[in-house]
Amino acid sequence: MVDLAIIGGGPAGLSAAVYAKRAGLSTILFEKMFFGGQMVNSHNIENYPGYASISGIDLTAKFTEAVEDVEKRMEEIMAVDFSNKILFTARERIQARSILIATGAKPRLLGVEGEERLSGMGVSYCATCDGAFFRNRTVCVVGGGNTALDDALYLSKFAKEIYLIHRRDAFRADELTVNKVKAEPLIHLVLDTEVQRLDGKDSLENVLVRNKKTGEEHAIQADGIFIAVGNIPQTEFLNGKIDLTPEGYIKTDESLQTSMEGVFAAGDVREKELRQIVTAAGDGAVAVDSIRKYLQST
Ligand code: NAP
């Protein structure tokens, strides 16, 4: 029996682990893949307080350093009995007094022909991981948010040219980043345009696009395409036991408690206005403070 089981080792889960340690709660943190969550995909973070610029990998190392002595397991939680607070991995069951869901979100697929077949063969969802393979090559980036624009800027260090394809003519990304992209001569903006199909025999060769205003179609010859069209929350394992928004995000109250007593949620997985590393880390702190009070009252 532990006081707290944290599911997810991104900024929300790791920040929660710091606060749980300080509160003297016996805690286990489960992570199914690697620590840092989506933060690992950020090559240059300029909006985490205390750092003018830091890579996601380095910031993750700072986060994990602070929770070295918290028990961590590299295991996936397959199912949870929320009423009795029992968590199941493939090998074991863990009884907890409270649960924090900090499972974040994963990249949304574009959903076009050729995407799955060419995934890993020119189609990527992580510029930090795969960008260097495209030195002196032509690449496309899809999306108009901070991730897509940051990816385009990062790729401009390696690629010969970058086509940034966005379905509208206005970007969702912040102004500073948009201005940097507009000032980068290697980045060509392809606006009001949707990707129709990805073609290539053994790896990506062509990206077929269609201008939404004119209806015109043309192919962009490219060796790689980085898809950054947003994220979807990782809530499948909840199996309908916790109230979600229609988009699949976990509903929480002010204390970050979910619809189930003693079960809390933090970070990108929950319904909120601003999804950033700093707000995920803030959620971790708020959630553990609420959990501490909850445990005292039970
Ligand atoms: P996002 O802000 O949700 O942007 C997704 C982009 O993909 C939007 O431009 C959207 O177009 C486009 N899109 C969605 N579905 C599409 C489809 N089927 N086909 C074509 N385009 C599609 O996602 P994000 O950029 O991954 O960012 C996620 C969150 O992390 C945001 O809150 C963002 O601010 C944050 N973030 C922050 C930083 C930073 O501050 N340094 C860096 C990365 C991410 P529309 O605009 O037309 O909807």
Side-chain angles (χ1 to χ4, degrees):
M1 168 81 91
V2 291
D3 291 329
L4 171 62
I6 301 172
I7 313 174
L14 291 171
S15 156
V18 170
Y19 278 80
K21 183 174 92 170
R22 290 172 65 86
L25 305 181
S26 59
T27 302
I28 300 187
L29 186 153
F30 292 92
E31 168 53 54
K32 70 173 174 181
M33 266 200 293
F34 47 79
F35 292 111
Q38 294 196 93
M39 154 163 93
V40 166
N41 298 342
S42 284
H43 17 88
N44 183 28
I45 297 160
E46 293 182 351
N47 54 2
Y48 192 79
Y51 300 95
S53 166
I54 187 166
S55 74
I57 290 171
D58 288 346
L59 188 53
T60 299
K62 302 272 179 206
F63 269 70
T64 48
E65 226 173 74
V67 290
E68 253 170 18
D69 47 353
V70 172
E71 187 172 352
K72 296 181 234 39
R73 306 253 179 100
M74 299 308 288
E75 275 191 89
E76 182 168 3
I77 297 296
M78 313 298 282
V80 184
D81 171 354
F82 285 107
S83 312
N84 297 304
K85 303 203 175 41
I86 302 171
L87 299 92
F88 299 90
T89 71
R91 296 186 301 122
E92 59 180 334
R93 43 179 279 165
I94 296 93
Q95 174 79 63
R97 292 178 64 208
S98 66
I99 296 173
L100 177 64
I101 304 165
T103 45
K106 62 184 176 192
R108 179 184 287 131
L109 302 190
L110 200 49
V112 296
E113 196 184 324
E115 181 179 13
E116 281 189 41
R117 182 174 63 82
L118 295 169
S119 181
M121 291 180 292
V123 176
S124 171
Y125 301 86
C126 176
T128 314
C129 322
D130 301 327
F133 296 127
F134 295 90
R135 204 171 284 280
N136 296 323
R137 303 284 183 86
T138 299
V139 296
C140 294
V141 174
V142 192
N146 270 110
T147 304
L149 273 69
D150 281 351
D151 284 357
L153 287 169
Y154 178 68
L155 289 163
S156 67
K157 292 186 199 163
F158 308 100
K160 188 168 66 180
E161 51 186 351
I162 300 116
Y163 291 90
L164 176 61
I165 305 166
H166 179 36
R167 64 183 177 183
R168 292 188 296 132
D169 64 356
F171 291 108
R172 205 173 274 273
D174 64 72
E175 203 180 328
L176 191 76
T177 308
V178 172
N179 290 340
K180 280 190 195 170
V181 163
K182 286 184 175 166
E184 173 50 62
L186 294 182
I187 302 176
H188 312 296
L189 302 184
V190 187
L191 303 179
D192 293 315
T193 296
E194 282 178 329
V195 174
Q196 298 291 292
R197 200 176 66 222
L198 304 179
D199 294 317
K201 195 167 169 277
D202 299 321
S203 64
L204 182 74
E205 291 165 24
N206 280 309
V207 176
L208 182 69
V209 296
R210 179 178 169 277
N211 184 295
K212 285 170 71 185
K213 287 194 171 149
T214 63
E216 254 176 61
E217 284 191 353
H218 75 281
I220 302 172
Q221 264 195 334
D223 307 290
I225 186 165
F226 290 84
I227 296 169
V229 294
N231 302 302
I232 44 176
Q234 309 213 73
T235 49
E236 304 89 346
F237 74 105
L238 302 179
N239 231 344
K241 304 274 170 44
I242 303 269
D243 288 355
L244 305 177
T245 67
E247 296 78 32
Y249 291 97
I250 298 175
K251 290 184 180 178
T252 53
D253 64 15
E254 277 273 296
S255 74
L256 303 194
Q257 185 163 237
T258 69
S259 55
M260 185 75 74
E261 201 185 292
V263 179
F264 296 75
D268 281 10
V269 75
R270 77 175 186 92
E271 180 184 32
K272 65 196 287 197
E273 277 294 313
L274 184 63
R275 295 194 172 85
Q276 299 275 298
I277 300 168
V278 68
T279 62
D283 274 7
V286 173
V288 171
D289 188 52
S290 306
I291 287 165
R292 187 180 57 74
K293 289 172 188 153
Y294 165 78
L295 292 174
Q296 275 169 1
S297 71
T298 55

